[in-house]
Amino acid sequence: MTGPIYCFRRAVQKTHTQSRGISMQRLQRRLALLLSAALAVAITMLTVTPASAVDTPSRSNGSGNRVIFVHGFSPITGKVDCADYFRSARTHFKGEEWKGNLLTFGYYSGDTNCSYKYNGNRDKSIKTVARAFANYVYTNYSKKGIKVDVVAHSMGGLVVRAALHHTREGTSDFPPYLFIEDVATLGTPHGGTTSADACNLIWQQCVEMRPGSAFLKSFKSTMPNSRMGTDWTTVSSFDDKTTSEVSGIAGIAEHEVQYDAGISHTEIRTISSERHKSRIKHTARGSVWSSWDKRVSPVEQARLAVLSHSTT
């Protein structure tokens, strides 16, 4: 067939074929772009290290770890000078040639001279403070595969215990894991303190430190572990008028120490020299109390506790 009609049909067919070719080219380009994007996502997923893939640090004895000191409840002013509060302890650690950084964690808005501070107050629950502490440790150390040690006085020990407990339990807003190698608590009311009766109508932290509180009942009988395991040493004094000798070692720890040498609630975090009447028991040795004898000071006991797996 020839003529105008045939020519018109040929032109339409040619145009259709060209359009189809252009559409296929566009489709191929789009598929190539989608494939490139998918490949980029896959590569990113492979190169980003998930939290669970961080290597767990190995346990080792020595003074190279960072030590974080956590202060106790402030009943009078509601604020603490972290440097002054742990001056004696940190000076002693340095004098014994501790190589790691000696840091402090504060949790009142009025706290001063702290390595890190959470702007809380006495009406913030201990769990809330513990969440801040746990995330501080995770973000700055655990997430990077760095382990730390902790020395805590009074309520500070409950902050650390709650941080490890809720992290282990997977509580919302707590980090996925922590690497805390050793913890030493000095005069911590693990079993509560009747001293909190005087302020339980005023501040939430006092409510939670009362014997039998819902907060204290939430803990398991054994001290909680971090992902790498945590070696606990709890220290109490028969002459501590704030935390009883029984409360200070309530809960099962690897090492428990009691002093019977006129050491007060404040002195348990400041006395760093000479030898004092005390006794100790280790779970690895049958949880039997040693005989009373002159042993190292409370601060030195804390240093030894975070220095090595087995304290004297």
Side-chain angles (χ1 to χ4, degrees):
M1 181 184 297
T2 59
I5 295 176
Y6 174 77
C7 292
F8 174 76
R9 286 179 178 176
R10 290 286 295 172
V12 169
Q13 290 175 352
K14 184 176 180 181
T15 301
H16 179 69
T17 302
Q18 290 174 340
S19 297
R20 186 169 58 185
I22 293 171
S23 297
M24 287 297 294
Q25 291 175 0
R26 287 176 178 173
L27 179 61
Q28 288 173 347
R29 284 200 297 270
R30 287 176 182 175
L31 288 173
L33 288 172
L34 287 173
L35 182 61
S36 298
L39 183 60
V41 170
I43 292 173
T44 300
M45 292 177 67
L46 289 171
T47 55
V48 173
T49 304
S52 59
V54 175
D55 290 336
T56 300
S58 60
R59 171 170 288 281
S60 60
N61 295 334
S63 61
N65 282 3
R66 292 168 175 81
V67 181
I68 303 173
F69 292 83
V70 185
H71 68 69
F73 179 72
S74 177
I76 307 300
T77 63
K79 59 183 179 180
V80 169
D81 182 329
C82 291
D84 184 63
Y85 196 94
F86 285 112
R87 188 179 307 281
S88 177
R90 295 169 76 202
T91 297
H92 178 72
F93 273 55
K94 290 177 183 178
E96 293 297 322
E97 299 183 352
W98 194 272
K99 297 180 178 62
N101 292 336
L102 301 174
L103 310 170
T104 53
F105 175 84
Y107 47 84
Y108 295 136
S109 59
D111 283 356
T112 56
N113 299 314
C114 306
S115 304
Y116 179 87
K117 183 179 71 174
Y118 166 67
N119 289 317
N121 55 56
R122 288 170 288 187
D123 212 35
K124 288 289 186 182
S125 70
I126 299 174
K127 178 182 175 182
T128 298
V129 179
R131 182 169 59 241
F133 175 76
N135 283 298
Y136 157 69
V137 173
Y138 174 74
T139 301
N140 291 279
Y141 306 110
S142 304
K143 186 178 181 180
K144 302 172 184 178
I146 301 171
K147 60 186 178 179
V148 299
D149 293 328
V150 180
V151 174
H153 175 247
S154 196
M155 194 188 84
L158 295 179
V159 170
V160 179
R161 186 176 178 183
L164 283 167
H165 169 78
H166 286 288
T167 297
R168 195 71 177 180
E169 292 296 305
T171 303
S172 177
D173 295 327
F174 279 77
Y177 59 85
L178 292 172
F179 294 139
I180 297 180
E181 186 169 32
D182 301 294
V183 174
T185 65
L186 304 169
T188 291
H190 290 291
T193 172
T194 55
S195 295
D197 292 343
C199 60
N200 78 91
L201 296 177
I202 307 174
W203 299 304
Q204 179 64 24
Q205 290 173 358
C206 293
V207 173
E208 295 175 343
M209 286 191 288
R210 297 182 72 192
S213 71
F215 169 75
L216 293 175
K217 286 182 177 179
S218 70
F219 292 133
K220 296 178 180 178
S221 59
T222 302
M223 294 300 176
N225 283 313
S226 65
R227 178 176 285 185
M228 68 178 300
T230 301
D231 189 65
W232 282 78
T233 300
T234 54
V235 183
S236 71
S237 170
F238 277 77
D239 294 298
D240 185 334
K241 304 304 181 185
T242 300
T243 301
S244 72
E245 71 279 2
V246 175
S247 179
I249 59 166
I252 302 171
E254 284 77 9
H255 320 282
E256 299 173 8
V257 185
Q258 289 184 319
Y259 285 86
D260 188 18
I263 295 175
S264 71
H265 189 64
T266 297
E267 290 170 335
I268 204 168
R269 64 171 166 86
T270 60
I271 295 179
S272 59
S273 62
E274 301 181 350
R275 299 181 75 81
H276 306 266
K277 184 181 178 182
S278 61
R279 63 180 183 175
I280 188 170
K281 66 178 177 181
H282 308 267
T283 55
R285 301 177 191 174
S287 295
V288 177
W289 284 110
S290 69
S291 59
W292 289 100
D293 200 355
K294 290 293 184 70
R295 301 176 188 276
V296 297
S297 69
V299 171
E300 172 62 2
Q301 185 69 71
R303 188 189 72 85
L304 293 174
V306 297
L307 175 69
S308 61
H309 187 64
S310 299
T311 59
T312 58

